[in-house]
Amino acid sequence: MLTLRNVDIHYGRVHAVRRVSLHVAPGEIVALIGANGAGKTTLLSAISGLLRVSAGEVLFDGRSIAGVKPERIVRLGLSHVPERRLVFGPMTVEDNLLLGAYSRYKRREALADRDAMYDMFPVLAERRGQQAAALSGGEQQMLAIGRALMARPRCLLLDEPGMGLAPQVCKEIFRHVGELRRDKGLTVLLVEQNAKSALAVADRGYVLETGRVLLSGTSEQLLANHDVRRAYLGREKDA
């Protein structure tokens, strides 16, 4: 469904991503793990059209989306849940959700999907009239995911969904990610610094280091890799 071939990305003179190639098959959850500054968020931003690639190919369903405007990419079926959630604080929970359906023209369907988001995240139904800025971090993450799902994507880009969340809340978010794949067949490319949580829900993963793919493999292979355990799972895991 999603393929990157030899992608380079620059910030001015800074070569942030270097010849990255990866693929995500339909129905897969694929994790991108790595330290801060490895290029994970940059890569997702390029896929969703927020950044331009300097070289290489970005293909979605076999067609190039490099240089395509972000709103067009959303209409093609690819939605992005950004780092730090970026909900619209002054707007209500309900308006944030409905804004996620801006690219669709059948209001009845949008309202039905809104109700489905409330079923998935009951706390959002309880807060539907509140400003998004008043929500907790976990509730804002649920809202950001729900807003992205309102566009009915076939592929979801998730950037650091566990950032700043309590362990139990983080566990709940990842449970929902797994359910979306299981129940709806959603394809997910997941960026997460908590490598253990990411690989627990993912089928495969890529390890990025200084803008390059250092390792790739199944989640089981990466979890068992000595270097991955030391770098991303804590030294105590080597015992």
Side-chain angles (χ1 to χ4, degrees):
M1 180 175 286
L2 180 65
T3 303
L4 276 64
R5 295 178 183 151
N6 297 322
V7 167
D8 282 17
I9 305 170
H10 287 79
Y11 286 110
R13 295 184 178 181
V14 176
H15 200 165
V17 169
R18 299 170 180 267
R19 298 185 64 79
V20 166
S21 296
L22 60 83
H23 70 277
V24 185
E28 273 195 313
I29 299 177
V30 174
L32 287 176
I33 63 174
N36 281 335
K40 307 184 301 296
T41 291
T42 297
L43 208 53
L44 290 198
S45 295
I47 294 169
S48 62
L50 299 173
L51 290 174
R52 294 187 67 87
V53 300
S54 308
E57 293 182 297
V58 181
L59 305 173
F60 183 60
D61 273 347
R63 64 166 288 178
S64 175
I65 57 172
V68 175
K69 291 183 178 180
E71 59 268 28
R72 175 61 180 157
I73 290 175
V74 172
R75 290 188 176 98
L76 291 173
L78 195 153
S79 289
H80 186 173
V81 181
E83 185 181 24
R84 302 187 187 279
R85 302 173 277 276
L86 301 183
V87 297
F88 297 100
M91 295 171 60
T92 65
V93 167
E94 176 133 339
D95 286 343
N96 267 269
L97 287 175
L98 291 176
L99 187 61
Y102 80 94
S103 63
R104 296 167 49 201
Y105 304 105
K106 295 183 179 179
R107 180 169 174 81
R108 182 177 297 179
E109 289 182 0
L111 293 177
D113 286 352
R114 173 208 60 189
D115 292 342
M117 293 304 104
Y118 288 149
D119 288 341
M120 182 181 298
F121 302 115
V123 68
L124 297 184
E126 297 171 10
R127 308 276 198 272
R128 62 194 302 165
Q130 293 185 15
Q131 289 185 331
L135 301 181
S136 69
E139 291 164 352
Q140 288 190 13
Q141 187 63 66
M142 294 174 192
L143 179 56
I145 293 172
R147 181 182 61 188
L149 293 175
M150 288 291 291
R152 291 193 177 180
R154 289 175 293 119
C155 182
L156 190 66
L157 307 179
L158 266 177
D159 195 353
E160 299 281 8
M163 177 182 286
L165 303 185
Q168 190 59 37
V169 178
C170 184
K171 184 177 180 179
E172 183 180 357
I173 294 294
F174 280 104
R175 176 177 64 80
H176 284 299
V177 173
E179 289 173 350
L180 285 167
R181 188 268 294 276
R182 184 192 68 207
D183 298 340
K184 299 183 181 300
L186 190 67
T187 303
V188 180
L189 180 58
L190 166 67
V191 160
E192 178 57 52
Q193 212 165 359
N194 185 331
K196 185 176 181 181
S197 295
L199 293 173
V201 73
D203 301 295
R204 297 185 297 109
Y206 295 85
V207 178
L208 289 187
E209 186 172 290
T210 60
R212 302 176 186 271
V213 174
L214 183 67
L215 292 169
S216 66
T218 66
S219 294
E220 291 80 7
Q221 289 170 336
L222 292 178
L223 284 167
N225 183 281
H226 176 79
D227 294 328
V228 171
R229 294 205 316 267
R230 287 181 62 86
Y232 305 111
L233 303 179
R235 292 180 181 275
E236 71 277 5
K237 299 297 181 182
D238 293 333

